[in-house]
Amino acid sequence: MAAISNKTQRGHGEAGGGPAVDSASLAAGAMLMLSGPLSILMGAAGIANDSLFAASTGYAYGFGLTAWGIIHLVIGVLLVVAAFGLLAGKSWGRGAGMVAAGVSLITQFMFVPYYPAWAIPVMALDLLILFALTRTHIEAAR
């Protein structure tokens, strides 16, 4: 005998429903809200020419600390904006989150010689964000 649920499922376009955020998007939004401020803090330290970062010579991506600071600051703001869009259920939130996390992943890889103890964990966080944001589409295809 089939059981029928008494719960009303609400989704997009239904009265009182509002946009539903699935658990993977919620996790990705939380991780974006962690990665974004971390990048903003890294950017602030770079702009202040803090002694936190090691000056690397002969490196292919050898920008100055101020340039790296501005790069990380901009990416951090993009990550936070994408998190707000994703958690608010906006249609652009998932795409913006994937793009922002991908760009953050690439810049963190380029930043490894300056501060590997920071860049490598943030790279892992960005990979988890990308996994969470792409996982929903894989599950929906089944």
Side-chain angles (χ1 to χ4, degrees):
M1 186 176 229
I4 299 174
S5 174
N6 291 337
K7 296 180 182 176
T8 303
Q9 294 186 1
R10 295 182 179 154
H12 296 286
E14 293 182 15
V21 178
D22 61 344
S23 60
S25 295
L26 186 62
M31 288 185 285
L32 281 166
M33 286 300 288
L34 177 64
S35 182
L38 287 176
S39 292
I40 290 171
L41 290 174
M42 187 184 302
I47 291 171
N49 288 322
D50 197 354
S51 61
L52 183 67
F53 305 123
S56 181
T57 58
Y59 183 55
Y61 308 112
F63 301 125
L65 288 181
T66 304
W68 275 116
I70 292 169
I71 290 169
H72 286 300
L73 184 68
V74 168
I75 291 171
V77 169
L78 292 175
L79 288 166
V80 170
V81 168
F84 281 131
L86 183 65
L87 293 174
K90 301 295 182 188
S91 60
W92 53 267
R94 181 176 303 283
M98 285 189 279
V99 168
V103 170
S104 176
L105 177 65
I106 292 168
T107 56
Q108 293 298 332
F109 177 75
M110 293 167 50
F111 195 70
V112 166
Y114 290 94
Y115 195 16
W118 185 294
I120 293 172
V122 175
M123 285 171 49
L125 186 61
D126 290 336
L127 284 171
L128 287 171
I129 292 167
L130 287 170
F131 174 73
L133 289 175
T134 56
R135 182 176 182 269
T136 305
H137 293 295
I138 293 170
E139 297 275 334
R142 289 182 183 185

